[in-house]
Structure formats: C-alpha cells, structure tokens
Amino acid sequence: MKHAVYPGSFDPVTNGHMDVMTRAARIFDSVTVTVMHNARKQGRHLLTLDERLDVLREATAHLPNVRVDSFSGLLVEYMRLTNNGVIVRGLRAVSDYEYELQIAHLNRQLGDVETVFIMAATRWSYVSSSMVREIASYGGDVSKMVPPASEAALKRKYQQV
Ligand code: PNS
C-alpha cells in the first residue's frame, strides 16, 4: 500500500489544491490531506482550523481514498507518528520550486521523508489561497477558483449570505 500526505494551510482549499489531491489520489492507494495547525500562525488565518477541516471534508467527499486530518507541530513528526509514506506538494510554476525544494530537503534531513511534487494543471497556475481571500474580501467572484464549500465559507466569513 502506498500512502501520501498532502500538507498545507488550505485557507481556503482552492481548485489548484483539489487538482493536486485528485491526481495524488490516482497515484497512491490513500492520501491524507493534513491541515498543519501552526500555533505561531494562529490569528493570521482567515478560516479557523475547524472551518478549514469542514470545508476540506465537504470538498473531498467524492474522493473515496482521501481523508482529512490536522496536526500541530513539525510535518516530519506527523509523518513519523502516522507512518504515512511520502509527502505530496503541488507546483504551479517555476517560482514555487525554490521554496518547495528547500522544504523538501529540510524534511528529508529532519525525518528522512521523501517529497513528491505534482504539477497542478496550468489553468490553476494563477490561483492561490491568498489571492482568493483578497478577491472574496472585496466581494469578487471566486466561484471558478475554489470548490463550492470554500466559496460558501468565504461568503459566510465576509457576511455576504
Ligand atoms: O499551504 P502552505 O502554507 O504552503 O503549507 C506549508 C506547510 C504548512 C506545509 C509548511 O509550512 C509545514 O510543513 N509546516 C509545519 C511545520 C514544519 O514542519 N516546518 C518545517 C518545514 S518548513
């Protein structure tokens, strides 16, 4: 059985994230999407941890081999505790690569964990959670950039419903 962990902030999950995890779910027997709950980032997120988990559960309900989890601490510690195989990270463009390469090497050095990169489809190359949050904060339409569960959570957050 080949397992993968797809970690991230998912604030909120975008169609780019969905594309990466759908591709991962075809490659691996099971994929755990793990919201990394970093105490130092607390207060800088738009959605709470519970909101991000609820949105992810709804958005991944159609993917039978994908489950959702959260963890507070180092990713390598989570990998060790859950015995969960490899880390999956998505790449949108070359600009993502330098940062991701650094993290991948650090995680290999810290915990001897491999990282597999999956390229998101080019149509999502311009989509990021931060841009989605900004557009939604001004009442802009993000329906083509995020799954319906994310859009609903953003609308609730910005009180448009
Ligand atoms: O979606 P993001 O914000 O790009 O995800 C980054 C994340 C959460 C995967 C990364 O910051 C992380 O692994 N944080 C957990 C703490 C950790 O292990 N840090 C060491 C590697 S940078």
Side-chain angles (χ1 to χ4, degrees), residues 12-130:
V13 62
T14 66
N15 284 346
H17 294 129
M18 293 304 302
D19 185 50
V20 169
M21 69 179 82
T22 302
R23 289 170 196 278
R26 286 192 214 118
I27 298 169
F28 297 96
D29 295 306
S30 67
V31 176
T32 306
V33 180
T34 304
V35 182
M36 298 303 294
H37 171 49
N38 190 331
R40 286 174 307 150
K41 274 192 172 177
Q42 201 62 4
R44 301 216 304 270
H45 291 299
L46 175 66
L47 302 181
T48 66
L49 176 66
D50 283 341
E51 287 169 336
R52 285 178 281 153
L53 287 169
D54 284 346
V55 168
L56 271 168
R57 285 197 192 101
E58 192 177 331
T60 59
H62 64 290
L63 297 169
N65 62 336
V66 173
R67 59 184 283 270
V68 174
D69 195 10
S70 68
F71 187 70
S72 171
L74 282 178
L75 180 54
V76 289
E77 182 64 3
Y78 177 78
M79 300 302 288
R80 191 182 66 78
L81 289 170
T82 56
N83 201 13
N84 237 328
V86 303
I87 297 166
V88 162
R89 290 286 287 173
L91 291 177
R92 287 167 299 192
V94 177
S95 50
D96 284 339
Y97 183 68
E98 205 167 333
Y99 171 71
E100 294 296 338
L101 184 69
Q102 182 183 16
I103 295 183
H105 278 304
L106 285 171
N107 283 330
R108 184 187 272 167
Q109 194 184 7
L110 282 170
D112 196 24
V113 186
E114 296 297 336
T115 299
V116 173
F117 294 120
I118 293 181
M119 273 59 73
T122 49
R123 62 192 293 234
W124 308 124
S125 62
Y126 60 90
V127 175
S128 67
S129 295
S130 57

Side-chain angles (χ1 to χ4, degrees), residues 2-3 35 39 65 68 115 117 146 150-151 157:
K2 293 256 181 291
H3 301 287
V35 182
N65 62 336
V68 174
T115 299
F117 294 120
V146 296
S150 291
E151 190 189 3
K157 202 47 74 166

